[in-house]
Amino acid sequence: MKNNITEEFDIVVIGGGHAGCEAALASARLGSKTLMLVTDIDSVAMMPCNPAIGGTGKGHLVREIDALGGEMGVNIDKTFIQSRMLNTAKGPAVHSLRAQADKEWYHQEMLKTIENQPNLTLHEEEAIDLLLDEEKKGREGESFVRGVVTSASTYSAKAVVIATGTFLRGKIFIGENVKESGPGGMAPAKPLAENLEKYGLPLRRFKTGTPARALARSFDYDKMQEQKGDSNIVPFSFMNEKLEREQISCWLTYTNHKTHEIIKQNFHRSALFGGQIEGIGPRYCPSIEDKVNRFSDKERHQLFIEPEGLSSDEMYIQGMSSSLPEDVQHEFYHSIEGLENIEITKPAYAIEYDCVDPLSLKPSLESKIIKGLFCAGQFNGSSGYEEAAAQGIIAGINANMLINGKEPLVLGRNEAYIGVLIDDLVTKGTNEPYRIMTSRAEYRLLLRQDNADGRLTEKAYKIGLASEERYQLFLKKREEVERERKRLEETMVKPAVANPFLASVGSAEVAGSISLTELLKRPEVSYENLAAIDKARPTLSHHATAQIAVEIKYSGYIDKQRDQVERFKKLEDRRLPADLDYLNMKGLRIEAAQKLDAQRPESLGRASRISGVSPADINVLLVYLEKERRKK
């Protein structure tokens, strides 16, 4: 290992994907001298899989990243080519924004932001090893990181963030054709993985995949259903009030019986079923052969045909990743309506890679094994750009907090989807690439897209990450919401005015005067159509009106969830001493004692979510804590 220091930094970020970008930008914006190491400049914020940001649950993460002062929301607002709000037929808790990106434009704009960020240096060098302080050991015996070694240089650092995505010992599978490779044909990272393993980080193999790309001119669009963007474009970033752009259509088609038969006849040639792939794939985004095998009763599976960008002639066939050979891919892709004559430019492939067991991480995303080493993104066993970016910004923040002797930023499950994501990973662990879903959040009516700034921007401003401009926009919106809610409560409408309006929207009449708030609580009444009888309505920002309408209409349910949160916090906030002797604690079952001893949860709440720890075990801990409190 080289020990002659080439240059000194506060923080080094290994990797330039979505996690690496957010980690490096957060670190630099918080004042740390930061180095970002990438194996290839083209890997910065690249989209090797679907060219889109957001989606169900994922849109919430992007809004939260933005509310904290991150870049993903700002960047997609610059570079989207289609925008849609999903799940609008359902309740507001699951409304999720999704935008189709111009992938090259997205990469270029993020690269430009990184290159122009003060305190941030970008180097195209492969990290091959960590520099550890061999003499210094922590209380639990962990090593201390003090830098990163590349093939040409050695950089000292007070903290390091690993955000390697799918590059670590990456291996690509296309049927019998197997080659060592990172995503998009880039070189894999091998020495770093071998050294991380040597230092005791528990690595395992996961896999993901991507569909084929085909030339846009070769699709028969008359045979597919057009999917247009929303006429009213909702920005991802709270920094943007309104966006206008000409949008590009996507297209919907389906697999069929013939497609499924071709795939079934070639199961034996799939790398997935043939045994070549060791890694575990994502249950919620399976390959097409896995779908056909697991859901044999389904007659068809939907496929979205999505443009890769304004300057690209390639289309992405979402919903059809595969590890089957190219000749089989050609056969089954051509069996689909609208795809009979497509010209495939890049075949689908599966990629297998190393990642760390997230149970070896603290809630701050710092390693329990190497102090000062933070981990983020797919390296932590998650899948998706948004999940990666969410972990990246937290890792970047907490690396900065550590070197400045401050408490880490740990978001609770009741505060953010980011909190749910990280808590699930570090407390429950994952046996497959983890994907966020709205169903994972216990308090999702409180964790909506529209109020992410209200939940997180003040926290980010206090630590110095949210800018003054962002904070002032947040204060303005909060004031607008409070003022408008009060006005709606105090404005009374007489039956002579209210009843004709109620009849027009199909709602029951009233006998006496009624407030605008009470009218808005009715399912047939929206904030928009209420304007017909609300002549004194002020002009408000889009972000404010979206929040007002939801909070009034669902106020009863929201209040119930707030009560649940208060009860939850009583358990969540009970701290567990770091030196508790679980293995010799009377009353704990052996499995629970072993799990608690291995993971060392910081609170009763986290302990209660560990697999194998029962409510009875939590009661044992409660009794123990109460006895200790009385002794003191």
Side-chain angles (χ1 to χ4, degrees):
M1 180 186 292
K2 297 185 178 183
N3 287 291
N4 50 320
I5 303 301
T6 305
E7 195 172 350
E8 295 181 356
F9 289 90
D10 294 320
I11 295 170
V12 174
V13 177
I14 302 173
H18 303 280
C21 288
E22 295 294 348
L25 287 168
S27 167
R29 287 167 178 172
L30 285 168
S32 293
K33 184 183 178 186
T34 305
L35 171 66
M36 177 192 274
L37 294 172
V38 296
T39 55
D40 191 320
I41 292 292
D42 288 339
S43 71
V44 172
M46 75 169 177
M47 295 179 161
C49 201
N50 60 313
I53 296 293
T56 303
K58 294 169 177 281
H60 293 71
L61 290 175
V62 182
R63 277 283 178 88
E64 290 176 356
I65 293 162
D66 183 73
L68 287 169
E71 197 64 24
M72 181 172 264
V74 173
N75 207 56
I76 187 59
D77 279 356
K78 292 178 189 174
T79 60
F80 76 92
I81 55 178
Q82 189 197 85
S83 177
R84 293 179 70 192
M85 186 68 76
L86 307 181
N87 303 326
T88 53
K90 300 177 182 178
V94 296
H95 291 181
S96 296
L97 190 57
R98 183 182 190 271
Q100 200 69 26
D102 182 312
K103 63 190 295 182
E104 181 59 27
W105 191 11
Y106 187 94
H107 154 73
Q108 291 292 347
E109 285 296 324
M110 188 67 84
L111 182 60
K112 195 184 303 180
T113 298
I114 286 164
E115 290 174 337
N116 289 290
Q117 175 62 49
N119 295 325
L120 181 54
T121 301
L122 175 65
H123 282 188
E124 191 178 73
E125 287 183 71
E126 183 185 349
I128 61 172
D129 202 355
L130 298 178
L131 198 59
L132 300 184
D133 192 327
E134 303 295 349
E135 298 177 3
K136 194 174 180 183
K137 293 289 180 182
R139 186 172 61 182
E140 300 298 324
E142 74 266 44
S143 303
F144 281 70
V145 73
R146 66 182 185 92
V148 174
V149 179
T150 72
S151 52
S153 310
T154 301
Y155 300 103
S156 73
K158 299 168 189 172
V160 173
V161 179
I162 295 183
T164 47
T166 61
F167 278 89
L168 285 188
R169 288 194 283 221
K171 191 180 286 187
I172 279 179
F173 300 83
I174 306 173
E176 301 89 354
N177 182 9
V178 181
K179 64 177 179 179
E180 293 183 345
S181 175
M186 293 181 177
K190 292 179 68 178
L192 180 61
E194 291 162 0
N195 285 316
L196 293 177
E197 212 163 38
K198 181 178 72 179
Y199 298 137
L201 267 68
L203 301 184
R204 64 256 186 92
R205 300 288 279 175
F206 275 2
K207 82 104 183 158
T208 186
T210 188
R213 273 64 161 182
L215 288 178
R217 65 168 186 253
S218 64
F219 289 85
D220 189 340
Y221 299 99
D222 291 335
K223 293 182 178 179
M224 301 186 288
Q225 300 168 35
E226 188 173 10
Q227 305 281 304
K228 293 185 176 182
D230 293 341
S231 55
N232 178 31
I233 299 171
V234 178
F236 264 112
S237 178
F238 289 101
M239 301 294 285
N240 295 319
E241 170 58 22
K242 191 176 181 182
L243 296 172
E244 291 184 2
R245 190 166 305 158
E246 187 176 342
Q247 298 185 67
I248 306 299
S249 290
C250 297
W251 304 83
L252 175 64
T253 186
Y254 297 88
T255 61
N256 52 54
H257 177 73
K258 183 180 179 183
T259 314
H260 297 182
E261 284 303 306
I262 294 167
I263 292 167
K264 287 176 184 177
Q265 289 164 12
N266 288 279
F267 274 161
H268 63 286
R269 297 186 65 194
S270 165
L272 178 65
F273 297 127
Q276 297 99 313
I277 295 177
E278 300 171 14
I280 302 167
R283 188 174 12 143
Y284 299 103
C285 189
S287 64
I288 189 62
E289 56 264 39
D290 203 12
K291 285 183 191 177
V292 170
N293 181 50
R294 284 166 50 193
F295 309 109
S296 56
D297 57 318
K298 284 194 173 289
E299 295 181 0
R300 63 180 191 172
H301 297 282
Q302 66 180 14
L303 307 173
F304 288 96
I305 312 303
E306 303 171 336
E308 295 249 292
L310 298 175
S311 58
S312 173
D313 290 326
E314 290 186 324
M315 301 290 274
Y316 175 89
I317 307 171
Q318 190 206 131
M320 212 164 190
S321 65
S322 178
S323 65
L324 283 160
E326 283 192 60
D327 61 307
V328 180
Q329 289 188 37
H330 277 269
E331 191 178 357
F332 69 64
Y333 276 120
H334 286 95
S335 72
I336 297 163
E337 198 164 16
L339 279 62
E340 293 91 345
N341 299 304
I342 61 162
E343 298 175 36
I344 296 174
T345 53
K346 296 170 188 169
Y349 64 81
I351 183 168
E352 189 179 74
Y353 55 94
D354 282 355
C355 55
V356 74
D357 183 346
L359 292 177
S360 67
L361 306 177
K362 301 174 185 178
S364 63
L365 295 181
E366 184 184 14
S367 170
K368 295 176 182 176
I369 297 165
I370 302 176
K371 192 163 182 61
L373 179 67
F374 291 81
C375 306
Q378 285 190 260
F379 180 66
N380 289 353
S382 64
S383 71
Y385 309 146
E386 302 81 4
E387 290 88 342
Q391 294 168 72
I393 194 169
I394 296 298
I397 289 169
N398 286 334
N400 184 278
M401 293 297 189
L402 179 75
I403 67 174
N404 287 291
K406 297 179 181 178
E407 286 296 308
L409 176 68
V410 176
L411 300 174
R413 298 181 73 88
N414 60 308
E415 294 179 297
Y417 271 88
I418 295 176
V420 174
L421 161 68
I422 293 174
D423 184 61
D424 278 352
L425 286 171
V426 305
T427 304
K428 300 177 183 178
T430 183
N431 293 319
E432 62 182 347
Y434 177 98
R435 176 182 177 177
I436 196 65
M437 293 180 287
T438 53
S439 60
R440 295 190 192 272
E442 298 90 335
Y443 311 109
R444 55 185 175 272
L445 196 50
L446 301 181
L447 308 183
R448 306 182 311 274
Q449 291 186 126
D450 62 84
N451 68 356
D453 56 341
R455 293 182 276 115
L456 300 174
T457 295
E458 197 148 25
K459 289 178 183 287
Y461 182 71
K462 284 178 180 176
I463 64 172
L465 185 54
S467 66
E468 185 65 35
E469 181 187 4
R470 179 180 291 280
Y471 186 59
Q472 291 304 321
L473 279 172
F474 157 66
L475 292 179
K476 180 183 176 220
K477 176 194 164 185
R478 185 169 70 180
E479 184 184 345
E480 281 183 332
V481 170
E482 290 172 356
R483 190 170 57 242
E484 179 65 353
R485 286 197 66 167
K486 186 178 180 183
R487 185 189 73 84
L488 292 168
E489 286 170 6
E490 295 175 349
T491 303
M492 304 300 292
V493 182
K494 294 180 179 179
V497 175
N499 285 335
F501 164 72
L502 290 171
S504 72
V505 296
S507 190
E509 293 186 350
V510 294
S513 294
I514 187 170
S515 70
L516 290 176
T517 293
E518 289 303 314
L519 284 172
L520 187 51
K521 287 180 179 179
R522 296 187 172 206
E524 302 88 357
V525 179
S526 67
Y527 187 76
E528 289 72 25
N529 64 25
L530 191 60
I533 58 170
D534 183 13
K535 303 303 181 185
R537 173 173 294 187
T539 301
L540 302 174
S541 67
H542 157 77
H543 294 299
T545 55
Q547 187 170 332
I548 290 161
V550 172
E551 290 192 347
I552 290 176
K553 193 170 284 293
Y554 295 90
S555 58
Y557 297 105
I558 290 171
D559 289 342
K560 282 182 182 178
Q561 286 214 340
R562 286 188 177 131
D563 289 341
Q564 290 171 356
V565 166
E566 288 307 308
R567 292 195 297 273
F568 160 80
K569 285 176 73 176
K570 289 177 183 177
L571 186 69
E572 190 69 19
D573 294 344
R574 292 290 297 272
R575 310 305 291 174
L576 290 170
D579 57 354
L580 265 185
D581 186 1
Y582 295 107
L583 296 177
N584 291 306
M585 190 179 291
K586 289 182 179 179
L588 277 183
R589 294 174 307 109
I590 293 174
E591 181 189 8
Q594 291 173 343
K595 292 281 184 72
L596 290 164
D597 183 65
Q599 294 195 37
R600 297 270 148 199
E602 298 177 345
S603 70
L604 270 176
R606 290 191 186 279
S608 70
R609 293 189 291 278
I610 294 173
S611 174
V613 177
S614 71
D617 297 316
I618 296 301
N619 282 333
V620 172
L621 293 176
L622 278 167
V623 169
Y624 174 86
L625 292 176
E626 183 59 23
K627 283 180 179 178
E628 291 300 303
R629 186 187 68 80
R630 287 177 182 175
K631 283 181 186 177
K632 291 176 183 177

